[in-house]
Amino acid sequence: MESYVESLIWFSDEERKNIPDPGFPQDFKSQEPISDRIDENQPVDGSTTIPVTFSKAERAAIRRCAKDFWDNPRKIKRIVNMLRLVKILTRGSRLDFEKTVRWITLVEQWPLHTAWMIHSIEDDLQTKKIEPDTSIKDVFLKVKKHIHSDGMYKLFSIDHDPTLFEGFIAKEPGLKVIDILNLLPITFNLNPAIR
């Protein structure tokens, strides 16, 4: 698993050998613009991959989260590709990359659980029943009875092992309501039909 993730976080073997790793901080703002890394002579079409280089800190964040990736190569590749897309779309943003990795992983592996938590947060924000610093664990405890109800049993197959979910959300860095609200704009891997 670790070897597979390692092979995905580099754009190419050439990048791994030739690009120095300056150890950028975790925020996107400190990194060189994506346009500086794209070969403008190479046409970008459906078959071309845009090279997005992860910094040393970002690769470390992905490696730490890799222990929780579902052992499905297609899902793992999807998570890494989404992280590349997030980097392109949020260039100049100050999103915490490690929390971004955790959020993308959470949404990809447990979409049913995530949809219930998002729904609860949105409802509670409208009625002012939730604080921005509320932990994701507390949000989950509130909706757990709904997720584990008889009516949801048939939908459980869309989620990764539900018993691993609670362990995942308990790990650091912990996500809070404010983090989820900041990450919702990049939550394009959650099928709206699930919500």
Side-chain angles (χ1 to χ4, degrees):
M1 176 76 75
E2 288 175 13
S3 297
Y4 182 63
V5 171
E6 188 68 25
S7 73
L8 294 174
I9 60 178
W10 295 93
F11 180 68
S12 66
D13 287 336
E14 185 178 326
E15 177 193 56
R16 186 191 303 242
K17 292 177 199 167
N18 298 326
I19 293 183
D21 194 342
F24 291 120
Q26 289 186 358
D27 64 71
F28 296 116
K29 194 169 190 164
S30 62
Q31 299 189 27
E32 63 185 279
I34 187 69
S35 58
D36 293 348
R37 296 189 300 264
I38 297 174
D39 180 357
E40 293 177 4
N41 297 321
Q42 180 180 359
V44 179
D45 58 24
S47 63
T48 304
T49 304
I50 297 174
V52 179
T53 302
F54 292 114
S55 71
K56 181 179 182 180
E58 290 166 346
R59 286 193 304 274
I62 295 168
R63 285 184 196 110
R64 281 190 292 277
C65 216
K67 296 176 183 112
D68 296 302
F69 288 168
W70 192 355
D71 58 351
N72 177 323
R74 184 174 291 158
K75 286 270 189 192
I76 295 168
K77 188 170 186 176
R78 185 171 153 88
I79 289 169
V80 174
N81 285 339
M82 281 187 212
L83 291 169
R84 283 191 166 91
L85 182 58
V86 165
K87 281 195 63 157
I88 292 169
L89 296 176
T90 60
R91 186 180 48 190
S93 170
R94 289 200 168 267
L95 286 176
D96 180 313
F97 192 76
E98 186 140 3
K99 287 184 178 182
T100 302
V101 174
R102 297 194 65 70
W103 178 249
I104 295 291
T105 303
L106 184 72
V107 173
E108 185 62 27
Q109 297 190 152
W110 294 282
L112 179 65
H113 284 70
T114 305
W116 267 103
M117 290 189 302
I118 292 170
H119 178 73
S120 176
I121 289 168
E122 289 174 342
D123 283 355
D124 287 349
L125 283 172
Q126 289 179 1
T127 58
K128 297 184 172 40
K129 291 182 183 176
I130 196 164
E131 295 294 321
D133 64 342
T134 303
S135 76
I136 195 171
K137 292 182 284 186
D138 291 336
V139 173
F140 173 67
L141 290 175
K142 181 180 175 193
V143 298
K144 184 176 181 178
K145 64 181 180 273
H146 301 295
I147 297 171
H148 294 278
S149 68
D150 291 339
M152 292 289 110
Y153 184 73
K154 291 179 183 177
L155 296 175
F156 258 48
S157 63
I158 65 172
D159 277 10
H160 183 37
D161 186 344
T163 58
L164 299 177
F165 175 80
E166 290 184 60
F168 182 80
I169 63 171
K171 292 183 178 179
E172 292 298 327
L175 293 168
K176 298 183 181 287
V177 166
I178 190 68
D179 298 318
I180 294 169
L181 294 174
N182 289 332
L183 292 163
L184 275 178
I186 59 156
T187 310
F188 40 77
N189 60 327
L190 181 62
N191 184 337
I194 296 171
R195 293 181 69 190

